[in-house]
Amino acid sequence: MDKLFDFELTFRLLQFGFVQSALLAAAVLGLLAGVLGPLIVSRNMAFSVHGTSELSFTGGAAALLLGVQVGYGAIAGAVVAALILGLLTRRTAEHDSVIGAVLAFGLGVGVLLLWFYKGRASNKFGLLVGQIVSADFASVLLLTVSTVLVLGVLAVLYRPLLFASMDPEVAVARGVPVRLLSPVFAVLVGVATALGVQTVGALLVLALMITPAAAACRITASPLRATVLAVIFAEVAAVGGIVLSLAPGAPISAFVTAISFVIYLVCVAVSTLRGRPVSRAAGAPAVRRPAPR
C-alpha cells in the first residue's frame, strides 16, 4: 500500500502505450455506462445487469478457451443472456427468480470453461476483476465501434424508452411498443455490460453500470441532468480507478468500486442535507413532502 501514493511511478507508467489504451477504453466505457445508467435504474434492471455480466463472463471464458478475442465472446454471451431473460421474464413476478437461475447457471459454466483453459492464470483472473493489459488496440477498436452503434440505436429510441420507463401503462395506451423496446434495450445493456467485463471484470461491472447512475438519481430527477452527472461520475470512477491502480499494481475493479461508492455516499449526503426526496429514478417525478407545521 505504500506505493498507492507513489505519484512519480504513476506518472512514469502513464507514458506506456498499453496504459494510455486502457485509459481511452475506460473513458469510452464511462461514457456508455453513464448514458445507459439512468435508464437502467429507472427500469429497475440492476439485477439484470448483474445476471448479464455473468453470461458475458461465460462468453469471455469460452472465447479464451477457443483462442478468440475475449471481447467478441463476452458480447455474444451478453446478447444470449439478454434474449434469454427477455423470453423468460414475461411476468414481473418471475423476473428476479429467472435472473437468479440464469445467473447461477452462467457462472457455473464459466468457471468450468476456465478450468479447461490451461493458459496464463492472469487471463482467468482478469475476466473476473479486470486487467489493464487487456486493453490492446483491437479491444479499444471493438469497444469504440460497439459504443457508437449502441449510442446510435439509443439516440433513435431514447424518447419512447424514457416514456416507457417513467410510465409504462400510459406509454402502452399511447401506442409505444413497450414489449418490443424491452428486449431491444436489454440487448443494448448486454453489449455495454460485456464491454465492461475486460476493463472492470464480470464480478464488479455493476460499479460502473449502476452506481454512478444511482448516485446521480439521488440528487436530481431531471433525465438530462441525471445523464450528464452519471457520465461524469462514471468517467471519474473508470479513469480514476485505472490511475490509482497503476503504482500498486492492484486490480482495477477495487479502485473503480471504491470511487463509485464514495461518489454515491457523497450524493446521498448532499440529498439528505438538501432535504430532497429521493426519486425512484431519473425522470420519475419527485414527490415533495409537506413541510412540518
Side-chain angles (χ1 to χ4, degrees):
M1 290 299 293
D2 56 329
K3 292 184 178 180
L4 181 60
F5 300 104
D6 191 340
F7 300 112
E8 182 180 352
L9 177 58
T10 299
F11 180 77
R12 288 205 306 269
L13 291 173
L14 286 172
Q15 311 306 312
F16 287 93
F18 72 92
V19 175
Q20 295 171 3
S21 296
L23 291 174
L24 177 60
V28 175
L29 185 60
L31 172 64
L32 184 59
V35 172
L36 287 174
L39 285 172
I40 295 173
V41 173
S42 68
R43 298 172 71 88
N44 294 318
M45 290 180 62
F47 193 33
S48 297
V49 171
H50 185 47
T52 304
S53 71
E54 305 302 346
L55 269 294
S56 299
F57 160 72
T58 304
L64 199 62
L65 184 63
L66 296 174
V68 183
Q69 186 178 341
V70 173
Y72 293 114
I75 291 176
V79 172
V80 170
L83 294 176
I84 290 175
L85 295 178
L87 291 174
L88 296 181
T89 55
R90 295 292 185 181
R91 292 186 298 177
T92 305
E94 300 175 344
H95 191 258
D96 287 351
S97 59
V98 169
I99 294 175
V102 173
L103 184 154
F105 173 73
L107 187 58
V109 173
V111 170
L112 180 63
L113 292 175
L114 283 188
W115 180 76
F116 282 120
Y117 178 69
K118 303 303 180 183
R120 292 186 303 170
S122 61
N123 290 334
K124 301 179 182 181
F125 190 61
L127 276 178
L128 294 173
V129 297
Q131 57 180 347
I132 192 170
V133 295
S134 65
D136 54 10
F137 175 77
S139 298
V140 174
L141 180 61
L142 174 63
L143 174 61
T144 304
V145 172
S146 300
T147 298
V148 171
L149 291 176
V150 170
L151 293 180
V153 175
L154 186 63
V156 175
L157 301 178
Y158 183 78
R159 287 180 65 85
L161 269 173
L162 182 62
F163 189 13
S165 302
M166 292 172 59
D167 199 332
E169 290 80 10
V170 176
V172 171
R174 292 289 185 90
V176 177
V178 175
R179 289 194 173 185
L180 177 62
L181 288 174
S182 294
V184 171
F185 183 67
V187 170
L188 295 181
V189 172
V191 172
T193 303
L195 296 174
V197 167
Q198 283 186 281
T199 303
V200 185
L203 295 182
L204 299 174
V205 73
L206 285 176
L208 212 52
M209 296 297 298
I210 303 298
T211 310
C217 292
R218 280 277 178 171
I219 57 178
T220 181
S222 166
L224 177 59
R225 287 197 294 268
T227 301
V228 172
L229 287 175
V231 169
I232 294 173
F233 295 160
E235 293 286 0
V236 171
V239 176
I242 289 180
V243 172
L244 290 178
S245 70
L246 291 177
I252 298 170
S253 54
F255 295 95
V256 173
T257 52
I259 295 173
S260 294
F261 190 60
V262 169
I263 292 174
Y264 180 76
L265 291 179
V266 170
C267 289
V268 170
V270 170
S271 175
T272 302
L273 291 174
R274 289 167 55 185
R276 181 186 183 88
V278 179
S279 62
R280 181 175 65 87
V287 179
R288 296 187 178 278
R289 298 184 179 90
R293 297 181 179 178

